[in-house]
Amino acid sequence: MSEIAHQDHTEKKAFLVNTSSLKEVRIFCREVFEKLHIQEDLKDELVLAIAEAAQNIVKHAFKNSASPTELMVVQISCENNKLQIAFYDRGTPVDPKKVKHREIDNIKPGGLGTFFIQEIMDAVEFKDGKKPWINHLVLTKQL
Amino acid sequence: MSYKVTEEGNVSTIHLDGEIDMDVTEKAKEVIFPVIDSGKEVHLNLSQVQYMDSSGISVLIESHQRALEKSTKVIIKDVSKSVLKVIMMAKLEQILNLE
């Protein structure tokens, strides 16, 4: 847990649902975390977790075939030193029971993104998406 | 992501540069796999890779496994601190050949 008091702050941004947006998502996160004065090592981890969640939207919720104008929204909020990152998308509804990473000792490509998210964040919660959204994922981390 | 390949004897060194995410994994495989398939020892220099996600890690695993199938090896060289952290998070530092 950080001893620095981070200023309360909220920002959100919409991105096209495609793999090219992943870099933009990372840039957005880094910019917000700069404003929040989050230390470098933690910032790298948080950017990875957020990028993995965005990747899951592209890869799983839309199966790499979203329409060219389809959007996902990433919202980063910091309140009372608690970081909350929310993702909104209109892809296939996620069944939280089916979201699991591969066994870490079973060395094979794939299945690590969810593991990274769970390792880095304190909590991962799938909520009902309010219209027009279908999926609403919330990641939290106490700073 | 950009890359450079140098050859010296039976060793091919692939220098990757930039960020390795899902958007560039196919390109990375197109660069790495033919060199592995040629049977040469592959040195993958990651000193200029500042970011790698789970897709990039999958490329490293696939490359390692492909090399074993071809009776050669992939050695990961000069890995940057940020990428090493991701490799360690995936508990692969004992599996992949890191130098």
Side-chain angles (χ1 to χ4, degrees):
Chain A
M1 193 183 294
S2 165
E3 292 179 5
I4 302 166
H6 299 275
Q7 198 177 6
D8 288 0
H9 186 88
T10 297
E11 277 191 49
K12 67 177 175 182
K13 189 169 180 179
F15 302 90
L16 290 171
V17 180
N18 60 48
T19 56
S20 306
S21 294
L22 298 174
K23 186 165 192 167
E24 293 171 37
V25 169
R26 297 197 296 272
I27 291 169
F28 167 67
C29 296
R30 286 179 185 130
E31 285 173 354
V32 176
F33 294 149
E34 283 289 321
K35 292 176 193 169
L36 290 170
H37 304 292
I38 290 176
Q39 56 127 322
E40 208 63 33
D41 280 358
L42 178 59
K43 187 163 63 182
D44 287 346
E45 290 185 5
L46 292 169
V47 168
L48 177 65
I50 294 169
E52 294 289 356
Q55 183 184 140
N56 282 347
I57 292 173
V58 176
K59 197 169 162 182
H60 299 300
F62 286 90
K63 312 243 180 290
N64 290 322
S65 58
S67 80
T69 56
E70 188 68 43
L71 295 172
M72 57 182 170
V73 167
V74 180
Q75 177 174 301
I76 302 176
S77 312
C78 183
E79 196 176 335
N80 298 325
N81 263 17
K82 186 178 181 183
L83 191 67
Q84 181 171 288
I85 300 122
F87 300 80
Y88 301 87
D89 73 73
R90 299 189 304 163
T92 307
V94 174
D95 179 354
K97 291 192 286 291
K98 291 184 177 169
V99 179
K100 51 186 171 190
H101 59 79
R102 70 159 162 80
E103 291 297 321
I104 200 68
D105 294 330
N106 180 14
I107 309 297
K108 60 180 182 182
L112 279 173
T114 302
F115 175 74
F116 288 161
I117 295 168
Q118 290 174 348
E119 282 287 293
I120 294 164
M121 306 306 296
D122 294 336
V124 178
E125 191 180 1
F126 291 93
K127 297 184 173 183
D128 288 333
K130 302 268 189 302
K131 278 188 176 179
W133 305 108
I134 291 174
N135 294 309
H136 177 196
L137 169 68
V138 179
L139 310 180
T140 51
K141 179 92 175 174
Q142 189 67 45
L143 296 176
Chain B
M1 183 201 81
S2 61
Y3 69 93
K4 182 178 82 176
V5 183
T6 57
E7 310 265 349
E8 199 172 322
N10 196 41
V11 175
S12 290
T13 302
I14 302 171
H15 301 258
L16 297 179
D17 193 330
E19 301 193 326
I20 315 288
D21 66 5
M22 186 186 170
D23 198 34
V24 301
T25 48
E26 286 310 310
K27 185 179 173 187
K29 289 180 193 176
E30 283 170 17
V31 174
I32 300 166
F33 288 0
V35 184
I36 295 171
D37 292 349
S38 74
K40 290 193 169 184
E41 182 173 308
V42 177
H43 293 183
L44 208 49
N45 187 305
L46 300 183
S47 64
Q48 298 304 311
V49 176
Q50 300 86 23
Y51 174 86
M52 182 176 282
D53 67 5
S54 62
S55 299
I57 295 293
S58 289
V59 174
L60 298 184
I61 295 171
E62 278 187 78
S63 299
H64 175 75
Q65 293 178 337
R66 196 179 183 102
L68 291 177
E69 285 168 15
K70 305 282 178 186
S71 303
T72 183
K73 60 181 171 182
V74 172
I75 299 175
I76 298 169
K77 296 260 191 183
D78 298 333
V79 60
S80 62
K81 186 183 156 206
S82 54
V83 173
L84 179 61
K85 202 168 156 185
V86 182
I87 290 173
M88 292 178 77
M89 201 185 299
K91 302 187 187 342
L92 290 170
E93 69 273 22
Q94 302 296 329
I95 305 292
L96 302 173
N97 300 312
L98 298 178
E99 274 185 14

